[in-house]
Amino acid sequence: MYEVEITNRETVVFVNSIRARSLKGFCWLWLHLPAIIRSVKQHYGAYECIPALVSPLQIVMVSYWLGYKELGEYHQGSFHRRFMDFVKRNPTALGMYFESYAPGKSGKYINGEFGLAKNFRRKL
């Protein structure tokens, strides 16, 4: 077991969830989910993205960003704007929440580098 030292004080943990609220939302979610995950993982400002299936109707993603600047740039990007255009055109299709945190310290890690440990060195 180990912890990591968070050295930059700018890292952001972003938690978001998408829930299908109609058949249209369900179809859209499952057709676009792989691209959503890929777009976060490929963005230069995200160094980890962990998607989780809550139910066939809902996913939760935890992503780790270098800072609020990079997270904001992703949200202003063309892929995210296309996603939000669907939400604006179909306001009852999906439910969502977004939360962000600036962690002051890391958690504990066992047998793997996940989350914050993916970007920061080990502290033994």
Side-chain angles (χ1 to χ4, degrees), residues 3-11 13 47 102-107 109 116-117 120-121 123:
E3 295 178 327
V4 296
E5 184 68 39
I6 300 173
T7 56
N8 72 358
R9 301 289 181 223
E10 295 176 6
T11 293
V13 178
Y47 58 85
K105 63 178 188 170
S106 80
Y109 303 89
L116 293 172
F120 295 98
R121 280 191 290 227
K123 179 177 78 175

Side-chain angles (χ1 to χ4, degrees), residues 51-122:
L53 180 64
V54 175
S55 76
L57 300 177
Q58 184 175 4
I59 61 108
V60 171
M61 285 196 321
V62 180
S63 54
Y64 297 84
W65 296 80
L66 297 173
Y68 281 105
K69 177 181 176 250
E70 291 80 5
L71 178 58
E73 288 170 355
Y74 174 79
H75 285 159
Q76 295 301 318
S78 62
F79 183 86
H80 192 261
R81 279 193 310 243
R82 286 195 312 262
F83 167 56
M84 293 312 293
D85 286 344
F86 173 82
V87 173
K88 289 176 189 172
R89 286 190 318 273
N90 303 279
T92 61
L94 300 172
M96 294 173 286
Y97 76 80
F98 310 95
E99 298 173 350
S100 60
Y101 307 95
K105 63 178 188 170
S106 80
K108 306 278 188 229
Y109 303 89
I110 301 171
N111 297 330
E113 293 182 354
F114 308 101
L116 293 172
K118 191 109 178 193
N119 194 43
F120 295 98
R121 280 191 290 227
R122 293 182 181 196

Side-chain angles (χ1 to χ4, degrees), residues 22-69:
S22 68
L23 180 59
K24 188 174 197 171
F26 178 84
C27 294
W28 188 94
L29 177 63
W30 285 104
L31 286 173
H32 291 87
L33 185 58
I36 293 169
I37 294 167
R38 210 171 25 257
S39 74
V40 173
K41 287 185 173 188
Q42 291 174 349
H43 193 276
Y44 71 92
Y47 58 85
E48 176 78 297
C49 175
I50 303 170
L53 180 64
V54 175
S55 76
L57 300 177
Q58 184 175 4
I59 61 108
V60 171
M61 285 196 321
V62 180
S63 54
Y64 297 84
W65 296 80
L66 297 173
Y68 281 105
K69 177 181 176 250

